[in-house]
Amino acid sequence: MVAELDDAALVRAAQGGDRRAMDALLRHQYDRIYAVCRRITGNDADAADVSQNTLIAIVRALPRFDGRSSFSTWCYRIATNASLDELRRRRRHPTSSIDIDDQPVSLPDTKAVDALDLVVDRLALSQALERIPDDFRVPLVMRDVADMDYGEIAEDLAIPLGTVKSRIARGRALLTSNYLAAIGNQPGIDERPSFGS
Amino acid sequence: MNDSLPPEPLPDGLPEVLRGALRDADAPSTGRESAIAAAMATFDQIHTGATVIDLQQRRRRSTRVLSIAAAVVVVVGAALAIRSLTGDSGEKSVTAIQASEARQTDQSVAKSAAPAVAPAASTEERVGGAASDAKSESSTDAATDAATNAGQAPTAMSAVLAAESPAELADLYRQIRQQTADPSIQLDCLPEDSVAVARILYQGRDAVLVETGPRIQALAASDCTTLATANP
């Protein structure tokens, strides 16, 4: 709450042209913005570029920020959209949502999940996330990293609310299973081959 | 599209330990600083109408700027050598070198030079309009001469620089600082609370370079308009 109040004051100052306030806001948000971009784009180089574009977009759009959502959520939404633009530009994977949503997903072993170490193997987690198709990974990141609500995600991705919820659930299951597989606890689930088929 | 599938695989969704790790992607500090610098340059452009010079443009200029900086250093050295040999204290050409460091590094030099050293505000008058077209032209000024005439070699020099553009000015300042390891040739740096200020000219006006941490900003002294922002 205190951070939100601070952000609100900084936003007002930055909107009034206060350079220090703008700098402080950007520094405060950068790490999570980078995380959103990194988790969606899947690599560091693109994440760095998209993060920079996001900061520039934030600066340009700040005069229009009306405070209806929190500043951080607004920033993450910009980051998400910039990352989606990058994905669309790359066109790495064709979209075939009907096939994707009909694919069965195995649930991870809850005992294995319970036994997850507190220290996460970050490389294994990144690899596990990258094995998840964009259509599942993106809403998962929007929800669990960017803290966007289901409605915002549905709006930004132009898909129904129910689809958003199901894809997030599937994404979480895939991520957990793939991560457990990556650290050797159980077989993983890789749905990427189903794309384009 | 099948929107009814599936139920949440886990009661609490993504395990918190994984969610926390997802949110921490180890953002590289270099990328952070560069992204923030770019965004702040945009901010400056919006709020001050300042010219923003991008990194690629600066790099293309670096060779030319280095040449200018080297020429400045050579001319300063030559001028000093000639004066020390001839002891000439005659007419000085305008623009460029000022020995204001004497007041910091050598009080006796400063004292002897005092009558000839104009206050900072008058430097522009002495330099006049020649600054804008005198990129490599330089000479010693009255303070240097006073010090020389008093039989004391100046312990430090400072320079008033002229450049074609704010970005060139910023680059020139930085490159000269890198090139002139010899402490006897310095810009007019006045350390104040870890901020180095160099007296320079831009288009015949006083301008002040402010160097703060890894970033350099060129500010016009009169209205504090940002002229250029650059990363070293």
Side-chain angles (χ1 to χ4, degrees):
Chain A
M1 188 64 182
V2 172
E4 287 180 6
L5 287 175
D6 289 345
D7 271 1
L10 288 171
V11 165
R12 283 193 298 275
Q15 284 175 326
D18 187 326
R19 199 172 191 281
R20 288 183 182 178
M22 189 75 255
D23 187 86
L25 282 170
L26 296 178
R27 289 185 184 283
H28 186 224
Q29 300 298 337
Y30 182 81
D31 283 0
R32 183 76 75 84
I33 286 171
Y34 180 85
V36 170
C37 298
R38 175 67 178 80
R39 298 313 184 193
I40 292 179
T41 62
N43 68 80
D44 289 324
D46 285 344
D49 288 346
V50 175
S51 296
Q52 177 165 318
N53 292 340
T54 299
L55 294 197
I56 292 171
I58 288 169
V59 168
R60 286 182 173 152
L62 188 66
R64 300 190 298 276
F65 175 66
D66 56 12
R68 278 185 294 181
S69 62
S70 74
F71 178 70
S72 58
T73 302
W74 182 72
C75 289
Y76 305 152
R77 196 168 183 183
I78 292 175
T80 300
N81 287 326
S83 302
L84 290 174
D85 287 343
E86 173 63 20
L87 282 188
R88 292 186 192 107
R89 192 184 64 78
R90 291 195 312 214
R91 297 181 184 280
R92 288 196 310 183
H93 304 288
T95 55
S96 54
S97 56
I98 294 177
D99 290 342
I100 291 169
D101 290 324
D102 286 341
Q103 291 291 322
V105 174
S106 300
L107 303 186
D109 180 348
T110 53
K111 289 181 181 177
V113 172
D114 290 341
L116 275 174
D117 288 335
L118 289 177
V119 178
V120 173
D121 182 333
R122 293 178 182 275
L123 179 59
L125 181 65
S126 292
Q127 290 171 343
L129 189 67
E130 286 161 20
R131 290 177 63 190
I132 302 173
D134 292 349
D135 285 351
F136 291 159
R137 189 178 76 252
V138 170
L140 164 68
V141 173
M142 293 169 87
R143 177 66 183 159
D144 287 329
V145 182
D147 289 332
M148 293 172 64
D149 64 38
Y150 292 114
E152 290 174 328
I153 298 170
E155 182 183 335
D156 285 359
L157 298 180
I159 55 178
L161 190 63
T163 304
V164 168
K165 292 180 179 177
S166 71
R167 288 188 185 178
I168 290 173
R170 284 164 174 257
R172 287 169 174 167
L174 287 167
L175 177 63
T176 308
S177 296
N178 287 346
Y179 177 72
L180 291 171
I183 60 175
N185 282 13
Q186 67 175 225
I189 304 167
D190 191 344
E191 290 207 345
R192 292 229 162 193
S194 69
F195 272 80
S197 60
Chain B
M1 193 79 65
N2 187 344
D3 293 338
S4 62
L5 290 177
E8 290 280 343
L10 298 167
D12 298 320
L14 193 67
E16 192 55 42
V17 64
L18 294 187
R19 192 197 313 267
L22 275 183
R23 293 175 178 215
D24 182 5
D26 288 334
S29 58
T30 52
R32 177 192 295 108
E33 292 308 319
S34 130
I36 291 172
M40 292 309 296
T42 302
F43 182 85
D44 293 337
Q45 195 172 25
I46 291 170
H47 288 275
T48 68
T51 302
V52 177
I53 309 299
D54 69 26
L55 193 57
Q56 294 300 324
Q57 193 174 356
R58 283 198 321 113
R59 284 173 178 162
R60 284 195 295 272
R61 290 180 172 181
S62 61
T63 303
R64 190 159 60 97
V65 170
L66 270 173
S67 302
I68 295 169
V72 169
V73 171
V74 168
V75 171
V76 168
L80 286 175
I82 291 170
R83 287 178 191 284
S84 66
L85 288 174
T86 63
D88 177 24
S89 60
E91 192 73 20
K92 284 80 189 177
S93 60
V94 292
T95 313
I97 305 303
Q98 173 188 14
S100 62
E101 278 296 320
R103 69 176 176 272
Q104 291 182 356
T105 56
D106 188 332
Q107 290 297 327
S108 62
V109 171
K111 187 173 293 184
S112 65
V117 176
S122 69
T123 302
E124 187 176 353
E125 295 172 12
R126 285 184 286 114
V127 171
S132 60
D133 58 4
K135 288 190 298 183
S136 60
E137 181 183 359
S138 63
S139 66
T140 53
D141 81 344
T144 305
D145 300 329
T148 304
N149 294 339
Q152 298 169 335
T155 56
M157 299 295 298
S158 62
V160 177
L161 306 176
E164 285 183 332
S165 71
E168 189 173 277
L169 205 58
D171 274 326
L172 190 58
Y173 168 69
R174 187 164 55 83
Q175 297 294 347
I176 290 179
R177 276 179 61 90
Q178 289 173 354
Q179 292 293 315
T180 54
D182 182 352
S184 67
I185 303 176
Q186 296 177 346
L187 295 178
D188 186 6
C189 295
L190 310 174
E192 290 178 3
D193 299 325
S194 76
V195 174
V197 179
R199 183 167 185 78
I200 56 176
L201 288 179
Y202 170 59
Q203 293 183 344
R205 291 192 305 161
D206 269 347
V208 176
L209 277 174
V210 178
E211 181 180 279
T212 306
R215 301 174 55 229
I216 298 175
Q217 300 167 329
L219 305 177
S222 58
D223 57 7
C224 285
T225 299
T226 299
L227 298 177
T229 300
N231 285 325

